[in-house]
Amino acid sequence: MDTKDFWKLIDDARTLVVDPSDAEDVAGRVAALLAERPADDILAAQQLLWDLMAASYRAPLWAAAYTINGGCSDDGFDYFRGWLIAQGREVFERVVADPDALAGLPVVRAAAAEGVDLECERVLGVAWDAYRTATGETLPPGSFTIDYPGLDPEWDFDFDDAERVALRLPELDALYG
């Protein structure tokens, strides 16, 4: 399994659920589809997932998650990025490149109107769930690594500083401010 296969798995899961904006449902479907694959593919998917988590470990995205969810701890940022992965490759790549683009997504606009947080911890466990289903065992220790990059020092400020966030994420600020 490579990155292209991983994203196809996400896309396939999104087409098989009633509401593709329901990240929990997408995650369940991803785990079920992944469980049908060989154990080596499941292990590869686990590493690919954490590679995406590392690629999206960016301060501007964290500020966006903080704005959307009304705060965002370390774990909360992980769960937000899990939600983001469940949205598919095109959305993921666009938003990682420009977090303010979140404001244009219908699912984000609906969440803002309803006061709903965007997060999905379940995405982070899809390989664990799939591996257990496929093999009856837990993922082997050391089956993945994660190497988070340093955060951008230009974003090293309190995300409660509404003025600074508004300057950097104007569309999200207009939606949530």
Side-chain angles (χ1 to χ4, degrees):
M1 173 172 285
D2 61 15
T3 303
K4 183 179 170 186
D5 295 329
F6 182 84
W7 283 118
K8 181 168 179 356
L9 188 69
I10 299 288
D11 288 343
D12 290 348
R14 290 177 57 78
T15 63
L16 294 171
V17 298
V18 174
D19 179 6
S21 68
D22 182 347
E24 293 287 330
D25 204 11
V26 171
R29 186 61 64 157
V30 168
L33 291 171
L34 192 54
E36 297 171 1
R37 295 181 154 223
D40 287 347
D41 279 2
I42 299 170
L43 293 172
Q46 176 72 343
Q47 184 60 58
L48 290 165
L49 172 73
W50 288 101
D51 290 347
L52 293 172
M53 292 292 287
S56 61
Y57 188 77
R58 304 186 50 172
L61 185 59
W62 201 332
Y66 193 96
T67 300
I68 289 169
N69 290 342
C72 192
S73 66
D74 293 350
D75 288 346
F77 188 43
D78 285 348
Y79 307 155
F80 177 83
R81 289 177 293 141
W83 169 85
L84 184 58
I85 289 167
Q87 304 312 300
R89 183 179 201 160
E90 187 273 328
V91 168
F92 178 86
E93 289 177 351
R94 181 166 32 115
V95 166
V96 169
D98 177 16
D100 207 29
L102 282 158
L105 298 177
V107 66
V108 175
R109 298 184 80 68
E114 297 168 17
V116 175
D117 287 352
L118 298 175
E119 57 186 22
C120 187
E121 180 180 6
R122 189 172 183 188
V123 167
L124 308 182
V126 294
W128 288 90
D129 295 342
Y131 198 82
R132 181 171 294 247
T133 299
T135 67
E137 300 174 8
T138 60
L139 278 171
S143 59
F144 72 96
T145 59
I146 186 161
D147 185 24
Y148 282 140
L151 292 171
D152 184 344
E154 290 183 25
W155 286 78
D156 187 18
F157 60 87
D158 185 348
F159 294 151
D160 281 322
D161 184 339
E163 193 173 302
R164 289 181 89 175
V165 171
L167 287 172
R168 294 170 184 237
L169 301 170
E171 298 296 321
L172 279 173
D173 180 66
L175 185 60
Y176 283 90

